[in-house]
Structure formats: structure tokens, C-alpha cells
């Protein structure tokens, strides 16, 4: 890696030296009332001293920034030692100009040496505390790079090091959260591939068997041929429904869903849904009825809400035995309409409640075709949340389950 030259730092040092020289000259001229000729001499001396200081300081900065192996403690020590050397040179030059006696000069140098040693000791103490915090960050960064995403550092002290520790912890938390999301997405992708593969395999295998039987002439009776054709049509319908569900799920998760919201009568939607489901309910031996309190007007995409109702009723009919009942009710509660589908089936296992709306999750854990592809409730949740509503499930006090969702409500129809 190319080492950056410390041009900016040298410019800052030069500016500081100029300001210090101007302040010292101003104090000598206006504060101490030193005569003009003497002030000019002091100004010249300060200019020479400042130039030498800039050269020495620039060399020190170049040494510190140019070394890859030089640690924080040696850098602080060199910087303070350089300042002490500058002070020592200034004293020596001043003593030479003022003809200070050798005794006084020795005493002054002794005091300067004492001050330099104290400064270096102070630098060692301060650098030890700083290095401890920096080393903690370095060790944590190495552990983080090694894959330990749970590592955190203590947010002690004040100033930039505390801010750095806080930033490091926030970065580690975001990396850990991103890793968890990536792992969850990977698990979801695996589940998606496994679920789709299973739900495609069963109807395709059935279609292949039926087609081969018809082709080989194994089935020749007209009644049997019609039965095989009905089975094939059912399998094709199942495949078509699965593909439609996958397409809707892809649009939901990819942000490509477009809602055409218009004021829609919830009573009309529920009436249409009940009418379309009555035949299947009679075939299952289930009593299906509904009720709407008032006539709420929802701001929604009617086709998508119809799909939610169909999915919830389909789920309820599949989990309600013969002589059972399914009820679809709706009411307005404040700014929202609440729709509930109740069934008298076996209810939902409490262990399944947190995952009931996950894709490819099935209440009965069965993988047969009669159990559905496990996408209906996931699509229902996606459509409801896209409308700004929420959806949930509860078990009844004795048996059965209640699936409810909300939609933004425009108000009652006139």
C-alpha cells in the first residue's frame, strides 16, 4: 500500500508556528513595551526558530507517517521528544545571544531535561491507555474478520475512541443482522426449491402414469378413459394453481405487485365469495354461511381481496370435517373493516401458530396434494399487508380456528 505524504499536517504545523510567532511578537511589542529595534531582533529570531522548528517537525511527521512498523507509543514519544529538542535549541541560541553564564545555562538545561523526561513519562502513561483501547479494537476487528460476528468492544472513555467503539459495535450488529438475513434467505430458498419440487412431482407423476396408460391401451373402457381424463384435468388444474401462486408470491416478494385500489363494497365481495364456494362446501358436507354488519366500503383492489377470501375459505374447508360449519363475517371497527373466517375444525396446533402464514408451511405437516401447496396463506398475508392491513389467526375457545384480517375502510355505502 502506498504511503501518503504528510503535506496537510506540515501545512497545519507551519500555520501554527506562524500564529505562535505573531502572538509572541505582539506580547513583546504591546504587552512588555519592548523598543522597536529589539522587537525587530526578536521577530528575526522567532522567524529563524520557527523555520528550524518547521524543518525538524516536518522531518518528524515524515518519519512517523512513513513508517509502517512504528506504533502509537513510539510516535507520541518521538513527537514529544522533538518538541523538547526544539525548546532546547531555542534556549541554547537564546543563551548564546544573551551571553548567559555557563552556570545559569547548565541550570536551565537541567530544568529542560527534567521537563523533557516528565513529558516523556506523561506520554508513556497516556499512550498506554490509548494503546489499550486501540488494541481492543484491533483484536475485535480480527475476530470479526475471522467470522465471530458476536464480538463487541467496551464503550469506555470519552471522545473519538468511544465514538469509534460505538461505530464498531454498530457495524458488528449490522453485519450479524445481515448474516442472519442471508442465512434465513438461503434457508427460504432451499425450502422453496424443495417445496416446489415436491408439489410439482406428484401431479406430474400422476399425469405421466395416466398418459402412459392411455397410450399403451391399458385403459380402453369409455368410462375408465373419462375417469383418467378427469384425473389428468385435476392434476393440470393443480399445476396451474401452483404456478399462479408462485407467480403471485414472486411479485409480492420482488416488489412488483401493483394494487388498483378503488372504493369497493365488502358486502358484494363476501356475497360473491360465498356463492362461488357453496358447491365445494356441499361436496365436503360443510355448512357455509356469512354475515356483514352494515355495508362497509373498503379502499382496496377487489380482485386481490377476493383472492384472500378464497384462500382463507379454501383453507377452512380443507380443515373442517363433514357436518362441520364455516362462517365468513365482516364488520367495521373505526377506520378499518375486520373480516373473519371461522371454522369448526380441529384448530391450529399452538406450535404452528407463529409459522402458519409462512410459505410452504402446512398445518397438518402432510405433503400430499390434498394438503395444498402451502402458499395460500402466505399469499393472503402478502395481499393484506400490501393494503396496509394485518392478518392473524386464533384458536376458538373450544375448537376450530378463526382467521381475521383488516382493510382500510372508506365508510358505509349510502
Amino acid at each position: 500500500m502506498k504511503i501518503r505524504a504528510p503535506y496537510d499536517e506540515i501545512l497545519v504545523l507551519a500555520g501554527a508556528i506562524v500564529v505562535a510567532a505573531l502572538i509572541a511578537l505582539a506580547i513583546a511589542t504591546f504587552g512588555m513595551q519592548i523598543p522597536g529595534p529589539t522587537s525587530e531582533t526578536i521577530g528575526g529570531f522567532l522567524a529563524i526558530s520557527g523555520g528550524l522548528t518547521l524543518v525538524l517537525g516536518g522531518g518528524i511527521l515524515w518519519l512517523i507517517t512513513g513508517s509502517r512498523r512504528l506504533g502509537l507509543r513510539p510516535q507520541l514519544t518521538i513527537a514529544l521528544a522533538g518538541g523538547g529538542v526544539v525548546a532546547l535549541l531555542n534556549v541554547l541560541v537564546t543563551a548564546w545571544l544573551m551571553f548567559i553564564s555557563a552556570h545559569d545555562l547548565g541550570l536551565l538545561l537541567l530544568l529542560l531535561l527534567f521537563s523533557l523526561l516528565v513529558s516523556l513519562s506523561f506520554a508513556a502513561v497516556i499512550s498506554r491507555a490509548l494503546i489499550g483501547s486501540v488494541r481492543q479494537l484491533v483484536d475485535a476487528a480480527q475476530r470479526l474478520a475471522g467470522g465471530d460476528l458476536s464480538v463487541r468492544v467496551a464503550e469506555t472513555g470519552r471522545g473519538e475512541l468511544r465514538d469509534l467503539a460505538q461505530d464498531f459495535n454498530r457495524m458488528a450488529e449490522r453485519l450479524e443482522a445481515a448474516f442472519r438475513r442471508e442465512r434465513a434467505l438461503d434457508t427460504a430458498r432451499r425450502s422453496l426449491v424443495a417445496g416446489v419440487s415436491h408439489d410439482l412431482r406428484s401431479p406430474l407423476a400422476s399425469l405421466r402414469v395416466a398418459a402412459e396408460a392411455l397410450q399403451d391401451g391399458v385403459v380402453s373402457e369409455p368410462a375408465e378413459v373419462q375417469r383418467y381424463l378427469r384425473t389428468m384435468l385435476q392434476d393440470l388444474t393443480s399445476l396451474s394453481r401452483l404456478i399462479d401462486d408462485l407467480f403471485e408470491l414472486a411479485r409480492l416478494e420482488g416488489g412488483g405487485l401493483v394494487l388498483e385500489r378503488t372504493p369497493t363494497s365488502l358486502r358484494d365481495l363476501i356475497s360473491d365469495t360465498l356463492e362461488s364456494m357453496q358447491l365445494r362446501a356441499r361436496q365436503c358436507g360443510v355448512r357455509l354461511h356469512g354475515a356483514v354488519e352494515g355495508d362497509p366500503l373498503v379502499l382496496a383492489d377487489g380482485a386481490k381481496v377476493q383472492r384472500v377470501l378464497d384462500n382463507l375459505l379454501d383453507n377452512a374447508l380443507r380443515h373442517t370435517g363433514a357436518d362441520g360449519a364455516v362462517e365468513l363475517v365482516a364488520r367495521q371497527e373505526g377506520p378499518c373493516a375486520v373480516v373473519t373466517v371461522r371454522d369448526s375444525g380441529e384448530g391450529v396446533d399452538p406450535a404452528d401458530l407463529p409459522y402458519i402464514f409462512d410459505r410452504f408451511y402446512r398445518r397438518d405437516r402432510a405433503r400430499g396434494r390434498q394438503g395444498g401447496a402451502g402458499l395460500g396463506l402466505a399469499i393472503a398475508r402478502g395481499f393484506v399487508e400490501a393494503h396496509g392491513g394485518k392478518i392473524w389467526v386464533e384458536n376458538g375457545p373450544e375448537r376450530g380456528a378463526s382467521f381475521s384480517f383488516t382493510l382500510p375502510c372508506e365508510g358505509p355505502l349510502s
Side-chain angles (χ1 to χ4, degrees):
M1 183 179 66
K2 186 178 180 179
I3 300 175
R4 182 184 64 87
Y7 296 118
D8 294 340
E9 289 80 359
I10 292 176
L11 289 176
V12 172
L13 178 61
I17 292 173
V18 171
V19 171
L22 292 176
I23 292 175
L25 189 60
I27 292 175
T29 303
F30 302 104
M32 302 176 64
Q33 301 296 324
I34 295 178
T38 306
S39 297
E40 293 177 0
T41 303
I42 294 176
F45 174 73
L46 291 176
I48 296 173
S49 177
L52 295 175
T53 302
L54 180 60
V55 172
L56 180 60
I60 293 174
L61 285 173
W62 205 285
L63 174 64
I64 291 175
T65 58
S67 176
R68 297 182 178 182
R69 298 182 180 181
L70 205 58
L72 181 60
R73 182 176 297 177
Q75 291 182 27
L76 290 175
T77 303
I78 292 174
L80 286 175
V85 170
V86 170
L88 181 62
L89 291 176
N90 282 317
V91 169
L92 288 175
V93 173
T94 304
W96 176 70
L97 292 175
M98 298 180 63
F99 302 103
I100 296 178
S101 64
H103 177 270
D104 293 339
L105 179 59
L107 181 59
L108 187 58
L109 292 176
L110 181 63
L111 292 175
L112 284 174
L113 178 62
F114 173 75
S115 300
L116 179 61
L117 293 176
V118 170
S119 298
L120 293 176
S121 301
F122 184 71
V125 173
I126 295 298
S127 63
R128 181 178 181 181
L130 294 176
I131 290 172
S133 300
V134 173
R135 183 174 290 118
Q136 183 185 18
L137 285 168
V138 172
D139 294 340
Q142 290 176 348
R143 291 174 56 189
L144 188 65
D148 184 4
L149 300 179
S150 63
V151 62
R152 300 292 185 272
V153 296
E155 299 177 1
T156 57
R158 296 180 180 179
E160 289 80 359
L161 286 176
R162 179 180 176 86
D163 294 341
L164 181 60
Q166 292 175 344
D167 292 339
F168 178 88
N169 288 338
R170 282 193 291 267
M171 178 191 68
E173 290 173 0
R174 291 173 182 172
L175 285 174
E176 186 175 15
F179 176 76
R180 289 177 178 174
R181 286 194 300 269
E182 182 65 25
R183 186 167 56 183
L185 287 174
D186 183 65
T187 302
R189 283 192 293 267
R190 294 174 183 270
S191 175
L192 177 63
V193 172
V196 170
S197 300
H198 183 279
D199 287 298
L200 288 175
R201 184 185 300 116
S202 298
L204 286 174
S206 178
L207 281 169
R208 180 178 180 180
V209 170
E212 290 177 348
L214 292 174
Q215 183 183 29
D216 296 340
V218 176
V219 179
S220 57
E221 293 293 330
E224 286 294 312
V225 171
Q226 289 299 319
R227 186 173 66 84
Y228 269 66
L229 290 176
R230 284 195 300 270
T231 301
M232 294 174 69
L233 182 59
Q234 290 175 358
D235 290 331
L236 288 172
T237 302
S238 176
L239 286 172
S240 178
R241 186 182 301 113
L242 175 59
I243 292 171
D244 290 341
D245 287 346
L246 289 171
F247 177 71
E248 293 289 1
L249 191 64
R251 290 205 302 174
L252 283 168
E253 297 185 350
L257 181 66
V258 178
L259 296 178
E260 298 179 1
R261 300 192 189 192
T262 57
T264 306
S265 170
L266 193 56
R267 176 182 291 274
D268 292 344
L269 286 176
I270 290 178
S271 176
D272 294 342
T273 304
L274 292 173
E275 183 178 355
S276 65
M277 287 287 185
Q278 282 294 347
L279 177 60
R280 182 181 170 191
R282 285 195 295 269
Q283 292 174 345
C284 297
V286 176
R287 299 183 303 277
L288 176 62
H289 59 91
V292 181
E293 298 179 7
D295 196 357
L297 188 68
V298 294
L299 183 62
D301 187 322
K304 298 299 186 291
V305 176
Q306 187 81 60
R307 182 72 180 277
V308 173
L309 295 172
D310 289 343
N311 288 354
L312 292 181
L313 283 178
D314 176 75
N315 178 75
L317 291 173
R318 282 191 288 106
H319 292 90
T320 302
D323 296 328
V326 174
E327 181 183 24
L328 174 58
V329 297
R331 66 187 183 279
Q332 183 172 347
E333 291 186 359
C336 295
V338 182
V339 182
T340 301
V341 177
R342 300 189 186 96
D343 64 65
S344 60
E346 72 277 11
V348 181
D349 191 324
D352 294 335
L353 287 174
Y355 315 103
I356 196 68
F357 294 103
D358 291 352
R359 57 187 181 183
F360 291 106
Y361 192 85
R362 294 172 179 175
R363 291 163 58 180
D364 53 9
R365 313 296 175 88
R367 301 301 300 181
R369 284 181 294 156
Q370 298 301 321
L375 293 177
L377 293 180
I379 292 173
R381 179 182 63 178
F383 283 164
V384 169
E385 292 179 349
H387 281 85
K390 62 179 181 178
I391 188 170
W392 68 95
V393 59
E394 297 173 328
N395 281 322
E398 296 181 359
R399 58 177 305 176
S402 296
F403 286 81
S404 303
F405 66 92
T406 62
L407 291 172
C409 197
E410 281 280 298
L413 284 173
S414 57

